[in-house]
Amino acid sequence: MKAHDGMYIDGAWRPAAGQDVIEVVNPADEQVIGTVPAGTAADVDTAVRAARAALPGWTATPPAERAARLTALRDVLDARRDEIAETVTAELGAPLKFSQAVHAAVPIAVAGSYAELAGTYAFEEKVGNSTVYQEPIGVVGAITPWNYPLHQIVAKAAPALAAGCAIVLKPAENTPLVAQLFAEAVHEAGLPAGVFNLVTGLGPVAGQALAEHPGVDLVSFTGSTAVGRHIASIAGAAVKKVALELGGKSANVILPDADLAKAVNVGVANVMSNSGQTCSAWTRMLVHRDRYDEAVELAAQAAAKYGERIGPVVSARQQERVLGYIGKGVAEGARLVAGSAEPPRETGYFVSPTVFAEVTPDMTIAQEEIFGPVLSVLRYEDEEDALRIANGTVYGLAGAVWAGDEARAVAFARRMDTGQVDINGGRFNPLAPFGGYKQSGVGRELGAHGLAEYLQTKSLQF
Ligand code: NAD
């Protein structure tokens, strides 16, 4: 798709206030594939004003009509699914098959789920002598990352629109093209002007201006914990609502009676997919000491198979960061059983699928989010030890438990300090609430829980 040289504000593409642009680079070949405007506080202000002006009309639109617009939006995204996949492949570097199956298909499913929820959600209930209304929170400032670029936009925009909110989106600077495509889809779907607005730009400039704008009622952010903390402090000072989807260091706990080969293979695939750039990735594999060596062997074999199939990471900066962590793992005494701290190719920001054995819970690679194709395999003594290790980071976003006996896996999962756990390879559910315990975030996305984030409650007594 061709990049727009303006911002989508108040229902049209308008010139940016300034002249600066951001170059979009294909991480697989390092070629510049387009430029988008680098928005400033002035663009953000125009967009927030447009959203505020559109808010009363959209809030007053009956839920059934909002549902119809969301259905139209889902249908436009579906009709453009090939273009979505090609765009994400070009700016993120994901292999085309993965872009089709995940980067295009998941947001279409999520948009569809909110088209349905908008029409069926109980925005009103009776409690004794009261009627309780769920009303839209107002204007949403959405700040999204690049790793699942369209999914993260839709996971905010679709529930916000279903709730009756207006929205200003500041997408990640690495992946603005699919955000522009989404704005085109909103337009084609016939949403009223100003209900959805797009400002491309740098985080510390356009993102910061959006978080600080007094016309924004809720800041919904997905990205790093460091920036999330900063945004939460801005929102806190302004007594503004905030939703945060941050990092993770999720544990894949393989209990002694599990199907080891399956648990290890699925676990490795989970980490390597999207080149390890998944906040919910199970980057720590926990294996009982009696089966540890076997698991390491299986993991190394599984990782080696990914060698040619894995895409690059998003940028030179990210490649440097991930390779730095691999070097640190070696320096701290972990054993490299697959992969390397050297880039595997001259061109493109590639990182070899990497597996570390002999990782102890205190090592940097067992504590910090690497956001690359790097798996740490840790040894545990017994279930209590496994639980201590699993819960022993500042994060709590996702996880997995494998056991021969499902009830045993569930009992373990209930003791994990984390927001989502897959039992014996349970499938991704786009309606299940997604979000973090501890420093992995505040609030939930997806399904009815995700819609509730964009509502506030009013009660009338009779
Ligand atoms: P980031 O947190 O810097 O960027 C996410 C979004 O926040 C982008 O849109 C960015 O422009 C914006 N932003 C940056 N600084 C801002 C500021 N001061 N005010 C307002 N908005 C701002 O993430 P990144 O630099 O793209 O990636 C760095 C690390 O973050 C990764 O290595 C990874 O560990 C983590 N990450 C996590 C997720 C996740 O889904 N949990 C997603 C992306 C990155």
Side-chain angles (χ1 to χ4, degrees), residues 144 146 170 173 203 207-208 221 224 246 279 318 321 369 371:
T144 56
W146 41 263
K170 205 303 281 177
E173 36 277 71
Q208 174 98 11
F221 169 81
S224 62
L246 309 176
C279 44
Q318 196 66 14
R321 193 182 129 93
E369 183 175 55
F371 235 60

Side-chain angles (χ1 to χ4, degrees), residues 170-183:
K170 205 303 281 177
E173 36 277 71
N174 304 79
T175 54
L177 299 181
V178 80
Q180 291 191 337
L181 192 160
F182 180 75

Side-chain angles (χ1 to χ4, degrees), residues 144-160:
T144 56
W146 41 263
N147 55 328
Y148 289 86
L150 183 58
H151 170 64
Q152 283 143 339
I153 290 170
V154 172
K156 298 190 191 307

Side-chain angles (χ1 to χ4, degrees), residues 165-325:
C165 293
I167 179 165
V168 177
L169 167 68
K170 205 303 281 177
E173 36 277 71
N174 304 79
T175 54
L177 299 181
V178 80
Q180 291 191 337
L181 192 160
F182 180 75
E184 288 179 359
V186 165
H187 193 81
E188 274 182 63
L191 274 107
V195 164
F196 173 86
N197 307 277
L198 170 69
V199 176
T200 51
L202 299 175
V205 182
Q208 174 98 11
L210 184 57
E212 284 175 347
H213 200 293
V216 170
D217 301 294
L218 164 73
V219 187
S220 179
F221 169 81
T222 300
S224 62
T225 298
V227 175
R229 188 176 284 125
H230 175 65
I231 284 174
S233 71
I234 296 172
V239 198
K240 201 179 273 187
K241 298 201 170 48
V242 66
L244 306 170
E245 292 291 341
L246 309 176
K249 192 73 190 175
S250 295
N252 178 15
V253 182
I254 305 177
L255 293 175
D257 64 341
D259 177 342
L260 187 70
K262 188 173 177 201
V264 171
N265 281 308
V266 174
V268 170
N270 175 286
V271 173
M272 301 308 163
S273 85
N274 212 36
S275 303
Q277 302 166 121
T278 306
C279 44
S280 55
W282 310 332
T283 48
R284 297 179 298 146
M285 183 181 285
L286 275 54
V287 186
H288 188 264
R289 60 177 174 170
D290 291 347
R291 310 191 74 186
Y292 186 80
D293 292 341
E294 196 189 339
V296 166
E297 178 102 347
L298 286 165
Q301 284 167 8
K305 278 190 291 191
Y306 276 85
E308 290 303 310
R309 281 189 285 146
I310 199 166
V313 296
V314 71
S315 62
R317 186 180 136 219
Q318 196 66 14
Q319 182 192 39
E320 196 181 319
R321 193 182 129 93
V322 174
L323 295 176
Y325 272 114

Side-chain angles (χ1 to χ4, degrees), residues 248-251 284 390-391 395-401 412-422 435-438 440 444:
K249 192 73 190 175
S250 295
R284 297 179 298 146
N391 287 340
Y395 294 115
L397 189 53
V401 184
F412 190 95
R414 293 296 304 269
R415 298 169 72 201
M416 290 169 77
D417 300 331
T418 193
Q420 204 171 71
V421 184
D422 296 348
Y437 280 32
K438 300 193 281 185
S440 286
R444 293 293 177 271

